[in-house]
Amino acid sequence: MAIALAAFAPGVAYLYLPAVLDFIPERLYAASVDPRTLNRQPVPPDHVAEFLSSPFGADQAELLRQLLGLGISPGDSRERRSDVVSLIEESGLLLTRGDCGLYMAANFSTTDRIELDPVTARSMGADGVSFTLEPLAYVIQRSASVKR
């Protein structure tokens, strides 16, 4: 969810490569290096190869492909008046990219579902009258009124 949120939000997305590769330097280097240098340790090539061939690696690659296909201009750091961030209940965010008719709804709760109100759900292009986000889930949707 963090990768999708960073890529979707206005501005330039800076991603910590070890996190993208599901590498936790503390597991490998904690006993042998100064703790202040853990984030500068190399990701071992065998970890990269193992990650890329794993189901989680395939999911990450697909997520990045999908995010690139949304039509958000990479490197465009200008916020626009049509960019809106709203809270949903106590644990959710709704980001609106009006320039390209995209919505991202995210639920940061580990236990509670979030019901999007019917107006928001319809504007996101969801069928029916409401939309439910499960715990730790997100959805990116193009508005039904925006043609690509």
Side-chain angles (χ1 to χ4, degrees):
M1 183 182 334
I3 291 171
L5 185 60
F8 189 85
V12 178
Y14 290 96
L15 303 173
Y16 181 56
L17 187 59
V20 172
L21 296 173
D22 196 31
F23 177 69
I24 301 169
E26 291 83 352
R27 290 183 182 158
L28 185 62
Y29 297 112
S32 61
V33 301
D34 182 336
R36 294 170 292 182
T37 65
L38 281 171
N39 65 342
R40 294 188 296 254
Q41 300 305 313
V43 178
D46 59 327
H47 177 84
V48 174
E50 184 178 308
F51 173 79
L52 292 174
S53 64
S54 72
F56 185 65
D59 289 346
Q60 290 281 64
E62 180 60 23
L63 170 63
L64 294 172
R65 272 192 290 282
Q66 293 290 327
L67 290 169
L68 285 172
L70 289 176
I72 299 171
S73 301
D76 185 358
S77 61
R78 296 170 300 173
E79 290 188 37
R80 294 174 178 80
R81 289 180 188 206
S82 58
D83 294 338
V84 179
V85 178
S86 309
L87 291 175
I88 308 171
E89 297 183 14
E90 293 180 10
S91 61
L93 281 180
L94 176 65
L95 290 88
T96 304
R97 295 291 304 263
D99 60 327
C100 50
L102 290 170
Y103 294 83
M104 178 179 182
N107 182 0
F108 293 93
S109 173
T110 59
T111 57
D112 298 328
R113 293 177 174 169
I114 291 178
E115 288 285 332
L116 296 180
D117 64 88
V119 173
T120 302
R122 271 194 302 280
S123 68
M124 290 178 60
D127 294 333
V129 294
S130 66
F131 188 83
T132 303
L133 275 174
E134 297 295 324
L136 295 177
Y138 68 94
V139 62
I140 297 174
Q141 186 80 29
R142 186 171 305 279
S143 172
S145 63
V146 173
K147 305 296 182 220
R148 256 186 104 186

